[in-house]
């Protein structure tokens, strides 16, 4: 348990230091949450990664995996982006995962279903910090003896996303007077 807490603390410190180091570039960077249809992404989180694809400007699908000492988790996530601003985006989502675990006295598998809400904050044009939080229903079953356990836990996820490709998402903003001048004729 103490090793897990130490790893979580190390990950949090790394995220904070990385944010401070990149903070100097924040003022000069051309920000934009311009990911949209056709965009691909790689997400890095502790202790795993995910591959993301945007079939439309508002929807994203992600295949993800996480590996820790005795636990392997793999699954799918779906994101629905609610609103975009110049440096970020708010989203809601759902996740379904398969879990395999192996401990000193038990071995088994299970499933997770989760709903979550969160945000992405762009620190560079195609690099974003992501955080989300939500309840997850977890079901685990031991292979030997048939013992099972289930319940609802709250989880938080933090990570970095790197985007490329696709076309720029259309921003929903009113026309300026100069841009709308052609509408008068």
């Amino acid at each position: 348990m103490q090793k897990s807490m130490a790893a979580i603390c190390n990950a949090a410190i790394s995220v904070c230091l990385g944010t401070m180091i990149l903070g100097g570039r924040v003022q000069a960077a051309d920000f934009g949450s311009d990911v949209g249809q056709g965009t691909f992404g790689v997400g890095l989180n502790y202790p795993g990664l995910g591959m993301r694809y945007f079939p439309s400007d508002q929807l994203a699908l992600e295949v993800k995996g996480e590996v820790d000492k005795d636990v392997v988790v793999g699954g799918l996530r779906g994101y629905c982006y609610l609103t975009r601003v110049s440096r970020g985006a708010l989203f809601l989502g759902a996740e379904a995962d398969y879990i395999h675990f192996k401990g000193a006295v038990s071995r088994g598998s299970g499933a997770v279903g989760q709903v979550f809400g969160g945000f992405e904050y762009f620190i560079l044009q195609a690099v974003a910090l992501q955080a989300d939080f939500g309840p997850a229903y977890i079901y685990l079953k031991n292979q030997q003896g048939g013992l099972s356990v289930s319940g609802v836990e709250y989880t938080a996820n933090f990570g970095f996303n790197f985007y490329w490709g696709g076309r720029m998402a259309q921003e929903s903003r009113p026309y300026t007077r100069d841009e709308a001048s052609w509408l008068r004729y």
Side-chain angles (χ1 to χ4, degrees):
M1 182 69 174
Q2 288 182 343
K3 285 185 179 182
S4 295
M5 287 303 289
I8 290 170
C9 288
N10 287 338
I13 290 169
S14 297
V15 167
C16 290
L17 287 175
T19 302
M20 288 189 308
I21 291 168
L22 292 172
R25 299 189 57 162
V26 166
Q27 296 301 322
D30 180 20
F31 288 97
S33 56
D34 56 357
V35 296
Q37 184 175 10
T39 302
F40 288 91
V42 172
L44 301 175
N45 62 45
Y46 179 80
L49 61 94
M51 291 292 298
R52 191 176 297 188
Y53 175 72
F54 285 79
S56 73
D57 289 346
Q58 289 80 27
L59 299 175
L61 301 172
E62 180 179 38
V63 176
K64 65 171 238 162
E66 296 178 347
V67 178
D68 203 0
K69 184 178 176 184
D70 298 324
V71 179
V72 176
V73 179
L76 299 170
R77 279 185 147 209
Y79 298 84
C80 178
Y81 285 82
L82 303 174
T83 184
R84 294 177 187 266
V85 293
S86 64
R87 291 189 180 187
L90 297 175
F91 58 80
L92 294 176
E95 178 176 349
D97 295 314
Y98 171 79
I99 300 175
H100 179 75
F101 63 92
K102 178 182 173 185
V105 295
S106 65
R107 171 182 286 168
S109 60
V112 176
Q114 179 181 14
V115 294
F116 56 86
F119 67 93
E120 278 188 283
Y121 183 79
F122 282 79
I123 56 175
L124 297 173
Q125 185 175 358
V127 179
L129 291 172
Q130 176 178 326
D132 59 67
F133 176 79
Y137 177 77
I138 303 172
Y139 172 79
L140 301 173
K141 184 173 182 180
N142 190 2
Q143 287 178 347
Q144 302 157 354
L147 180 65
S148 66
V149 64
S150 63
V152 175
E153 298 289 334
Y154 287 88
T155 64
N157 296 294
F158 302 96
F160 287 99
N161 295 324
F162 303 91
Y163 294 107
W164 72 91
R167 66 173 180 77
M168 293 175 61
Q170 299 297 320
E171 292 188 67
S172 58
R173 61 177 178 80
Y175 289 105
T176 64
R177 194 151 95 182
D178 292 334
E179 291 173 327
S181 64
W182 65 273
L183 294 173
R184 288 185 248 157
Y185 301 105

